[in-house]
Amino acid sequence: MTTRRTRPAPRPPEGTPPPAELARQARAVLADAVRIAHWAADGTSTGAAPLAAQALERAAAALELSPAQVRSGWDRARLAGLIELHGDTARPGWRLRAWDRDESAVLRGWVALFDAWSLVHASPEGIEATAVAEAIEAVPQVLSLLQLSAGPVTVPALLDLLGQRVAELHEERCEVPYGPQEQPVPAVGRSAELNATLLDWALEGLASVGALTLGSGHATLTPLGNWAVWVKLEQICVAAQSPAGNIEQSAADMLLGCARLTPGPARAEYRAWLAARPVGSAVAELLAVARGEDALLRGLAFEALRVVGAPAEPVVRSVVTETPLRPYALLWLAEYEGTDPDDAQDVLSREEATWLWVDTAAAVADHGETGLLVRHLDSAVQGTVPALLDEVRAVGHPRTVQVLVALAAAHPDPALAKAVRRAAFQVHTGGV
């Protein structure tokens, strides 16, 4: 029994347009991207990224757009999940197929673009990547002020907040200047000028994706931007109020905290954790966990990446060459491209499926119950235990011996347990 009350569904701020109107505005922002996605999906172009020069010229002529507009629309279409690249071929994403009938798909596509604003708008030249990353990390606070103000906010006020947040980030990282500082005043001046440049860049980037409008010395959230910031703030509040609130935890601790949750609550935790972080750094942190030794966290990291959606696609696609991550990445991409999760396993080769079976068994052995490990035998693609053992020995997973020993200890059939122990010994000694 529990005394915890169900939290009522939150209501958007007064004046927020209904979903149909928000979707209409999102479609307007992405109109060129949708046209380019349809053109690319017709099979008349190669899907190389960036768009090949000849295809760029053909698209500009066919769509009556400038090359710059085509290039921008192409990038937006990819980031919003409207098109997907398969080698040198562009294919329609599931959002493009649902674009005219599914408001939720439209809004999710626009939010994916909103999350990737720093990729859409190139950062100023000559500025260190660290300074740019700090500005990106400070932008959620800037957006929160704009949302809470419910109207125009002056650029000086936003600049002051950005400077405060960057200073807090330096303090959190213990970036205190060491030794005597002979000329502190010029250094502060340069910092203020840098912050102003980065704030202008961030505001222009957010305006370019339709999240805000810029006036003379002030900025105002659009209805779309106001709604998106409210959604993210609400996710943070939900996580903070939940027993499993892991918003301030590292990726590894957050995933461990979600390990015992059912899929729905776990996804809510993932969303809240992601909403509190720049999408790029969150994806990088999740992949760093996935590369670790804990197989349970590897699987959970890719579950969290499913919540990220389109912004994670290029990074996930880039890790398919890493053997430990390849099966997870291939399944992620298959589901992202619209394959039914029940059929996604078909994208794996026999060897990849076997590797994944061992990796999952390692997660069960480390964190699960004995019965789960025995039942895990039924999920193997091989039809018999001898065939499974032959292929498990050949696949070369580093946890093979530990998995087979644990399975032998857990299985109630003495004959089968003996065969599994023999396989473990052969792997351990290098025998056949």
Side-chain angles (χ1 to χ4, degrees):
M1 293 182 64
T2 177
T3 58
R4 183 178 174 228
R5 293 177 294 177
T6 301
R7 191 172 186 265
R11 294 179 177 273
E14 187 176 352
T16 301
E21 173 59 20
L22 291 172
R24 186 195 66 78
Q25 295 177 18
R27 288 186 177 100
V29 172
L30 284 161
D32 284 350
V34 170
R35 292 180 64 201
I36 291 168
H38 279 298
W39 174 84
D42 285 341
T44 57
S45 72
T46 56
L51 191 60
Q54 292 181 346
L56 181 66
E57 294 174 2
R58 290 200 306 272
L63 301 173
E64 297 182 348
L65 298 172
S66 70
Q69 288 174 314
V70 172
R71 191 177 294 108
S72 173
W74 174 263
D75 290 340
R76 289 164 178 251
R78 292 182 62 222
L79 291 169
L82 296 169
I83 53 177
E84 299 158 1
L85 300 184
H86 300 260
D88 288 335
T89 304
R91 297 179 186 171
W94 71 267
R95 285 195 180 118
L96 183 63
R97 295 189 288 270
W99 195 254
D100 294 328
R101 56 180 170 77
D102 189 336
E103 294 168 359
S104 176
V106 173
L107 291 175
R108 287 176 182 272
W110 180 83
V111 169
L113 180 68
F114 169 66
D115 287 339
W117 68 266
S118 61
L119 302 178
V120 173
H121 192 58
S123 58
E125 295 183 1
I127 296 181
E128 292 184 356
T130 301
V132 174
E134 290 171 349
I136 295 172
E137 196 168 348
V139 160
Q141 280 69 30
V142 172
L143 289 169
S144 296
L145 176 60
L146 285 163
Q147 199 269 340
L148 293 171
S149 299
V153 179
T154 64
V155 170
L158 297 174
L159 181 58
D160 183 57
L161 178 60
L162 180 74
Q164 290 179 30
R165 181 58 185 145
V166 169
E168 290 173 358
L169 293 172
H170 288 174
E171 185 176 348
E172 291 170 4
R173 294 164 184 158
C174 299
E175 294 181 5
V176 180
Y178 178 77
Q181 304 296 308
E182 297 179 0
Q183 295 179 318
V185 175
V188 172
R190 284 196 301 273
S191 177
E193 182 179 350
L194 176 61
N195 284 342
T197 300
L198 289 169
L199 177 65
D200 288 343
W201 165 68
L203 294 178
E204 290 168 1
L206 290 163
S208 73
V209 299
L212 53 80
T213 57
L214 298 176
S216 180
H218 66 267
T220 309
L221 285 177
T222 63
L224 267 177
N226 188 68
W227 167 80
V229 176
W230 170 78
V231 168
K232 292 181 181 295
L233 290 173
E234 186 62 27
Q235 289 172 344
I236 293 171
C237 291
V238 168
Q241 294 178 14
S242 71
N246 294 286
I247 190 169
E248 296 181 358
Q249 302 295 327
S250 67
D253 290 340
M254 180 274 293
L255 294 171
L256 280 176
C258 295
R260 297 285 181 181
L261 298 178
T262 54
R267 283 192 293 270
E269 291 292 318
Y270 301 152
R271 291 190 187 98
W273 186 86
L274 291 162
R277 290 159 176 79
V279 65
S281 61
V283 170
E285 191 174 348
L286 288 169
L287 279 178
V289 172
R291 290 187 175 101
E293 296 181 358
D294 194 323
L296 175 66
L297 294 186
R298 186 158 29 257
L300 291 175
F302 276 87
E303 289 298 321
L305 287 169
R306 283 176 171 83
V307 175
V308 178
E313 185 263 343
V315 182
V316 173
R317 197 173 294 280
S318 73
V319 304
V320 295
T321 56
E322 301 179 30
T323 299
L325 303 187
R326 179 174 174 81
Y328 296 95
L330 291 175
L331 291 174
W332 190 100
L333 290 167
E335 293 178 28
Y336 173 74
E337 291 162 3
T339 303
D340 189 294
D342 292 336
D343 300 326
Q345 290 278 347
D346 294 341
V347 305
L348 301 182
S349 68
R350 183 91 163 201
E351 183 178 357
E352 290 158 356
T354 303
W355 179 284
L356 182 60
W357 185 90
V358 178
D359 211 50
T360 306
V364 175
D366 290 342
H367 300 277
E369 300 174 357
T370 299
L372 290 178
L373 189 58
V374 175
R375 290 196 294 274
H376 186 55
L377 273 173
D378 296 333
S379 67
V381 295
Q382 294 79 7
T384 65
V385 171
L388 170 64
L389 294 178
D390 286 342
E391 296 186 32
V392 163
R393 285 182 295 187
V395 80
H397 193 290
R399 294 293 304 278
T400 298
V401 173
Q402 293 95 323
V403 164
L404 293 179
V405 169
L407 180 59
H411 206 283
D413 184 335
L416 190 147
K418 182 178 180 180
V420 173
R421 278 195 299 272
R422 185 185 304 114
F425 177 77
Q426 290 171 342
V427 174
H428 179 62
T429 59
V432 179

